[in-house]
């Protein structure tokens, strides 16, 4: 049965970690790109719609506003201005333009002075003098700021009854410099919304494709240059430990010039050093065992040379004597001896040869023999 090729665990962990890090990095880059893309579009749309609104404001004759509010009749001048505003709507592809008076303090009651709309759009033009109560917090607050703070407001509105659009609201001044109306220019930003969505989808697709390609290429490169050499080192050390320390030259297949190559070379050298050291240790151990055996024999011989039987002289009842010696090493230079020179003289000998070990023991044997030989011929210990 053919075994399936298993992906090493370390490869899985490293690749997963790298892919996650790559996804995180790509996500951050995508977010930054998305923000930059959105910011640039907003700046362009904001500048464009503000310029349109400010230019359209210059066409208005605010001296006629009180008359239109008091008696909403479309005279020739009103129609001329409305025609110009309609050109703004058509040429700049606006959804609508409106000029309206909004009443304080809540700025919810609106009276329209002009309201040209896109001809092909879904918006209905409010006639001159049309009033409504429109309660929408963002609009009401923006209108308050226009009238009270003389601010120019650019609002981005998504998914409302007017769709996704951008609106510039600018104050309209009378001859005394007072704010008498607000002019709003509204333009669809659906194209921008669609472009942003397309951009985001393209970035995500590129990110996913890049992540997949990177994972495949990185895993292949990582396996070849890192995982396979590490697995080879691991298997070699396991084989060396499991098969009685039999080294091989498989690690020489690793040609890496980095730390992994150094590790493989070191392990290869270590295996042969271990085998050589084991052989040397085996030889030394055998030699030590041989010497130990010989020392044991020498110990027994030395012990047998010393009188240690009790009673030492079973035929004599007038005295008893016994002796023993425990050397510091297996054999040593300390010794004693006792023997009868004749029936009336007992010779006692106690000696200590300088040093220990075999040299002292050999000197002890010679000394003991010489003393005993000479004692048989001489009468005085001196």
């Amino acid at each position: 049965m053919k075994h399936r090729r298993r992906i090493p665990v370390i490869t899985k962990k490293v690749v997963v970690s790298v892919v996650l890090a790559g996804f995180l990095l790509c996500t951050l880059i995508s977010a930054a790109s998305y923000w930059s893309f959105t910011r640039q579009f907003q700046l362009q749309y904001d500048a464009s719609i503000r310029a349109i609104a400010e230019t359209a404001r210059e066409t208005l004759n605010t001296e006629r506003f009180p008359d239109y509010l008091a008696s909403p009749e479309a005279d020739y001048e009103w129609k001329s201005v409305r025609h110009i505003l309609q050109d703004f709507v058509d040429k700049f592809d606006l959804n609508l333009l409106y000029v309206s008076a909004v009443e304080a303090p809540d700025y919810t009651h609106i009276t329209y002075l002009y309201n040209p709309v896109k001809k092909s759009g879904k918006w209905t033009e409010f006639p001159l003098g049309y009033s409504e109560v429109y309660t929408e917090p963002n609009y009401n607050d923006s209108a308050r700021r226009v009238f009270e703070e003389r601010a120019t407001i650019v609002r981005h509105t998504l998914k409302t009854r007017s769709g996704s659009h951008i609106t510039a609201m600018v104050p309209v001044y009378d001859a005394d410099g007072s704010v008498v109306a607000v002019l709003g220019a509204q333009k669809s930003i659906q194209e921008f919304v669609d472009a942003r969505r397309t951009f985001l989808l393209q970035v995500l697709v590129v990110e996913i494709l890049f992540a997949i390609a990177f994972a495949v290429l990185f895993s292949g490169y990582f396996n070849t240059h890192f995982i396979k050499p590490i697995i080879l080192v691991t298997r070699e050390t396991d084989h060396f430990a499991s098969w009685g320390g039999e080294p091989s030259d498989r690690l020489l297949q690793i040609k890496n010039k980095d730390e992994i190559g150094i590790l493989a070379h070191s392990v290869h050298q270590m295996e042969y050093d271990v085998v050589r050291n084991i052989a040397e240790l085996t030889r030394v151990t055998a030699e030590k065992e041989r010497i130990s055996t010989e020392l044991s024999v020498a110990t027994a011989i030395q012990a047998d040379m010393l009188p240690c039987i009790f009673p030492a002289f079973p035929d004599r009842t007038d005295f008893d004597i016994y002796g023993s010696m425990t050397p510091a090493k297996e054999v040593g230079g300390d010794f004693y001896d006792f023997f009868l020179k004749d029936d009336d003289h007992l010779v006692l000998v106690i000696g200590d040869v300088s040093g220990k070990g075999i040299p002292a023991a050999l000197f002890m044997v010679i000394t003991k023999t010489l003393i005993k030989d000479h004692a048989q011929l001489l009468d005085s210990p001196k």
Side-chain angles (χ1 to χ4, degrees):
M1 180 178 178
K2 185 177 181 180
H3 296 281
R4 295 180 60 186
R5 184 181 178 184
R6 296 181 57 189
I7 300 176
V9 176
I10 188 173
T11 300
K12 296 179 181 177
K13 292 182 178 180
V14 172
V15 171
V16 169
S17 300
V18 171
V19 169
L20 290 178
F23 267 117
L24 179 60
L25 179 61
C26 290
T27 301
L28 293 176
I29 295 175
S30 300
S33 301
Y34 180 79
W35 178 86
S36 178
F37 178 86
T38 302
R39 180 63 177 168
Q40 290 300 319
F41 262 83
Q42 286 180 345
L43 290 175
Q44 292 178 9
Y45 270 88
D46 289 0
S48 174
I49 197 68
R50 186 183 294 111
I52 292 172
E54 292 173 350
T55 303
R57 180 176 58 185
E58 301 301 322
T59 66
L60 302 176
N61 182 8
T62 57
E63 294 181 359
R64 297 285 298 158
F65 283 9
D67 297 335
Y68 294 151
L69 292 174
S71 178
E73 295 181 1
D75 56 11
Y76 176 78
E77 184 176 358
W78 182 91
K79 293 179 181 179
S80 299
V81 173
R82 187 234 172 241
H83 178 74
I84 295 172
L85 295 179
Q86 184 67 54
D87 284 341
F88 272 87
V89 173
D90 297 337
K91 291 179 180 179
F92 293 106
D93 194 27
L94 302 179
N95 291 340
L96 55 89
L97 264 174
Y98 61 84
V99 179
S100 57
V102 188
E103 297 180 8
D106 54 1
Y107 297 96
T108 58
H109 187 270
I110 307 172
T111 300
Y112 290 90
L113 297 168
Y114 297 96
N115 184 220
V117 300
K118 189 175 184 178
K119 295 179 180 179
S120 59
K122 59 183 178 180
W123 295 270
T124 301
E125 180 178 359
F126 294 139
L128 172 63
Y130 178 83
S131 296
E132 69 169 346
V133 176
Y134 180 57
T135 303
E136 201 280 316
N138 288 332
Y139 173 83
N140 301 140
D141 182 66
S142 297
R144 180 192 62 78
R145 292 180 59 193
V146 169
F147 279 89
E148 296 180 4
E149 301 176 11
R150 300 170 177 261
T152 296
I153 308 296
V154 177
R155 299 169 52 229
H156 297 265
T157 308
L158 301 177
K159 298 181 181 179
T160 65
R161 69 179 185 179
S162 301
S164 299
H165 57 267
I166 182 172
T167 304
M169 300 174 64
V170 297
V172 178
Y173 305 100
D174 61 10
D176 297 330
S178 301
V179 179
V180 295
V182 56
L183 184 147
Q186 183 186 108
K187 182 177 178 64
S188 173
I189 58 172
Q190 192 61 46
E191 179 183 359
F192 160 70
V193 173
D194 294 341
R196 185 172 60 178
R197 183 184 299 110
T198 301
F199 172 79
L200 182 59
L201 290 176
Q202 290 176 346
V203 169
L204 291 176
V205 170
V206 171
E207 178 181 343
I208 293 173
L209 294 177
F210 174 79
I212 294 174
F214 179 78
V216 172
L217 295 176
F218 178 80
S219 60
Y221 177 83
F222 191 78
N223 270 333
T224 302
H225 293 84
F226 295 96
I227 299 303
K228 287 183 178 179
I230 291 176
I231 291 177
L232 185 57
V233 172
T234 303
R235 289 177 178 173
E236 176 61 22
T237 53
D238 180 68
H239 172 81
F240 183 79
S242 303
W243 293 86
E246 295 182 2
S248 69
D249 293 332
R250 284 191 291 267
L251 293 181
L252 297 179
Q253 301 174 11
I254 300 176
K255 304 299 182 182
N256 293 44
K257 302 298 182 182
D258 50 18
E259 286 76 5
I260 294 179
I262 296 174
L263 174 64
H265 176 77
S266 299
V267 171
H268 178 263
Q269 185 64 40
M270 180 190 67
E271 289 180 348
Y272 280 92
D273 291 343
V274 168
V275 171
R276 184 171 60 253
N277 291 337
I278 290 176
E280 181 66 18
L281 182 61
T282 302
R283 186 190 65 78
V284 172
T285 301
E287 182 67 16
K288 185 176 180 180
E289 290 178 352
R290 183 187 64 80
I291 294 174
S292 178
T293 300
E294 293 178 355
L295 288 176
S296 297
V297 173
T299 300
I301 293 174
Q302 184 181 35
D304 291 342
M305 292 180 64
L306 302 176
C308 56
I309 300 175
F310 185 82
F313 306 105
D315 297 335
R316 301 299 293 264
T317 58
D318 51 341
F319 70 91
D320 289 332
I321 186 170
Y322 177 76
S324 67
M325 182 185 72
T326 304
K329 293 186 176 181
E330 287 83 354
V331 292
D334 299 332
F335 70 95
Y336 70 91
D337 198 4
F338 52 83
F339 54 89
L340 288 170
K341 175 178 173 55
D342 53 38
D343 292 340
D344 298 324
H345 293 85
L346 175 65
V347 180
L348 298 177
V349 181
I350 297 176
D352 183 6
V353 177
S354 297
K356 292 178 174 54
I358 294 178
L362 293 176
F363 199 81
M364 165 262 193
V365 172
I366 296 173
T367 304
K368 179 179 180 298
T369 302
L370 291 175
I371 290 175
K372 189 169 186 178
D373 289 344
H374 284 72
Q376 300 296 333
L377 304 175
L378 303 173
D379 295 332
S380 171
K382 184 179 179 181

